[in-house]
Amino acid sequence: MFEDIQLIYMNIKILRFWALLYDKNIRRYVCIGLASFHIFTQMVYMMSTNEGLIGIIRNSYMLVLWINTVLRAYLLLADHDRYVALIQNLTEAYYDLLNLNDSYISKILAEVNRVGRLMARGNLFFGMLTSMGFGLYPLSSSERVLPFGSRIPGLNEYESPYYEMWYVFQMLITPMGCCMYIPYTSLIVGLIMFGIVRCKALQHRLRQVAIIHPYGDRDARQLQEEIIACIRYQQSIIEYMDHINELTTMMFLFELMAFSALLCALLFMLIIVSGTSQLIIVCMYINMILAQILALYWYANELREQNLAVASAAYETEWFTFDIPMRKNILFMMMRAQRPASILLGNIRPITLELFQNLLNTTYTFFTVLKRVYG
């Protein structure tokens, strides 16, 4: 049924092709097996390399990206049924909203589908550009290097024909890794975006209460049923977000720590690389990190804000004209909305734009220290 939901369809289609969601076939073992073997060779290389600082930073970035890619694949497989249940939850909620035939809700559903489709395509495009950067980097070097520093014990990877064979292998698995990594991020952001839609739908429903049930001309029983339905819908949104947190919160914490260190190192790399081509490629690496983090933090922050806005919408129901029991229900609803459900980082703190700003400030602080010490 999710085939008509453009917000998530492209991402699920790619993950399904690699048998990470729904299907189970040989492609699953091929992509995870090759990526895991590649990580092993990268770790061997990192433990035995004599490269300079630039090479160590660049290959550390590659290693973290590949570890993160395989980690996402294993998480999808380990929690496969829970991911499928979450997608099913989204699908049912999506069609429930669509079947309301409300012009406002239909408009925001169409908009979120448009933005989700654009984001999925844009992320894949920039991912492929970065993959091209990986492949072009050796061409800008004055000596033989590989797109990803890796070593097979017992072989000299820089001698022909091993160098050519290993270069082709790395260029073949890079698009595969891109299609494992990026659709997962876009899928999670799509799930968060739909949470925003659900919050807006609840706000719209609450604001309609004062119009449909005006003071002096209302049916108390129908009003009570509507208020109870709104409270239950608010609770379903909270449970939906809890479901997302259970699946992603520790991974988000790992990414924050890893990418903070890498961003600092890459900024430092900007001042020590030689050559315009290498400078451009490092900028592409930095842009990929920022694009992935900013999309997540932007929509997670917006989801938190829309949860807060439910309190204002509940206040606009003219609750002070209700009977005492219904007033209490609305007040409890507003109190719960003022403690907004959020996408959490390691079950510690909510993901917000303020946290993103703190990340950039901390990264820049460490960068200036490195620049002063080594510059």
Side-chain angles (χ1 to χ4, degrees):
M1 293 178 65
F2 58 78
E3 288 81 359
D4 296 328
I5 307 176
Q6 296 300 312
L7 173 65
I8 59 173
Y9 174 64
M10 179 183 292
N11 306 309
I12 295 176
K13 184 178 180 181
I14 295 173
L15 294 172
R16 191 171 189 172
F17 174 82
W18 292 109
L20 299 176
L21 272 179
Y22 294 101
D23 296 340
K24 183 178 180 180
N25 56 50
I26 191 64
R27 284 192 291 266
R28 169 188 297 183
Y29 305 105
V30 169
C31 67
I32 294 179
L34 291 177
S36 299
F37 172 71
H38 182 58
I39 290 173
F40 167 74
T41 63
Q42 285 183 290
M43 294 180 71
V44 171
Y45 180 86
M46 292 299 295
M47 289 185 291
S48 60
T49 184
N50 294 318
E51 271 195 298
L53 187 59
I54 293 177
I56 292 174
I57 292 174
R58 188 178 70 88
N59 287 305
S60 296
Y61 171 74
M62 309 301 181
L63 179 59
V64 169
L65 274 184
W66 277 103
I67 290 175
N68 203 2
T69 298
V70 174
L71 175 63
R72 291 166 182 236
Y74 280 121
L75 287 175
L76 274 173
L77 297 181
D79 294 317
H80 178 269
D81 292 342
R82 296 166 69 188
Y83 277 100
V84 170
L86 180 58
I87 294 169
Q88 181 64 26
N89 185 341
L90 180 149
T91 303
E92 292 174 357
Y94 178 91
Y95 284 108
D96 286 343
L97 291 176
L98 192 63
N99 291 334
L100 292 175
N101 294 320
D102 184 287
S103 59
Y104 172 77
I105 292 177
S106 297
K107 180 180 178 181
I108 59 175
L109 286 175
E111 178 64 16
V112 78
N113 274 323
R114 184 189 68 81
V115 174
R117 182 173 62 250
L118 182 63
M119 180 187 65
R121 291 176 177 175
N123 285 342
L124 277 175
F125 174 74
F126 286 114
M128 289 302 176
L129 278 183
T130 306
S131 298
M132 289 175 59
F134 296 157
L136 293 175
Y137 186 85
L139 303 180
S140 66
S141 178
S142 57
E143 56 186 13
R144 278 191 169 185
V145 294
L146 290 164
F148 311 107
S150 57
R151 179 165 297 158
I152 301 176
L155 291 179
N156 185 347
E157 67 275 13
Y158 296 117
E159 287 185 356
S160 298
Y162 302 120
Y163 175 78
E164 290 78 8
M165 293 170 61
W166 200 236
Y167 181 87
V168 171
F169 169 77
Q170 291 190 356
M171 291 312 299
L172 288 176
I173 67 169
T174 299
M176 180 192 70
C178 179
C179 290
M180 292 167 61
Y181 180 91
I182 291 178
Y184 179 89
T185 300
S186 298
L187 175 62
I188 298 302
V189 173
L191 294 170
I192 294 171
M193 291 169 67
F194 186 69
I196 296 171
V197 170
R198 297 186 72 180
C199 289
K200 289 182 177 180
L202 177 58
Q203 296 167 32
H204 175 68
R205 187 171 182 176
L206 286 167
R207 292 189 177 101
Q208 292 297 305
V209 168
I211 299 173
I212 298 174
H213 305 281
Y215 178 63
D217 184 22
R218 62 171 62 127
D219 185 309
R221 185 180 61 82
Q222 291 181 355
L223 177 60
Q224 183 179 18
E225 290 175 354
E226 181 66 14
I227 296 301
I228 290 173
C230 289
I231 292 173
R232 287 176 175 167
Y233 195 74
Q234 182 190 34
Q235 184 60 34
S236 73
I237 295 173
I238 295 170
E239 292 172 356
Y240 173 80
M241 294 175 63
D242 287 343
H243 198 167
I244 296 176
N245 280 323
E246 289 172 4
L247 294 171
T248 60
T249 184
M250 299 310 297
M251 187 191 64
F252 289 158
L253 179 60
F254 169 77
E255 286 189 347
L256 177 72
M257 295 187 295
F259 285 152
S260 297
L262 284 176
L263 188 59
C264 177
L266 288 170
L267 287 173
F268 180 68
M269 196 172 169
L270 283 177
I271 64 174
I272 60 176
V273 295
S274 58
T276 304
S277 59
Q278 291 185 348
L279 186 67
I280 293 173
I281 292 171
V282 173
C283 288
M284 290 173 62
Y285 296 163
I286 294 173
N287 286 335
M288 182 178 177
I289 289 180
L290 292 178
Q292 292 290 310
I293 295 178
L294 180 58
L296 171 65
Y297 280 52
W298 179 277
Y299 286 109
N301 182 81
E302 179 65 15
L303 179 54
R304 179 179 170 84
E305 294 298 320
Q306 292 300 328
N307 268 291
L308 276 169
V310 170
S312 299
Y315 188 86
E316 295 175 21
T317 58
E318 298 182 356
W319 60 274
F320 43 83
T321 65
F322 296 169
D323 295 336
I324 297 298
M326 282 188 285
R327 289 187 201 178
K328 291 181 179 179
N329 287 336
I330 288 291
L331 286 173
F332 281 128
M333 190 177 191
M334 287 190 285
M335 291 169 63
R336 182 62 183 90
Q338 289 170 346
R339 185 167 57 87
S342 305
I343 303 300
L344 299 178
L345 187 74
N347 283 322
I348 298 172
R349 63 170 297 174
I351 296 177
T352 62
L353 288 178
E354 180 184 1
L355 181 61
F356 180 72
Q357 182 182 5
N358 292 338
L359 165 66
L360 295 182
N361 291 340
T362 303
T363 300
Y364 186 74
T365 299
F366 281 106
F367 163 67
T368 55
V369 172
L370 284 173
K371 183 178 179 182
R372 180 170 298 180
V373 172
Y374 295 101

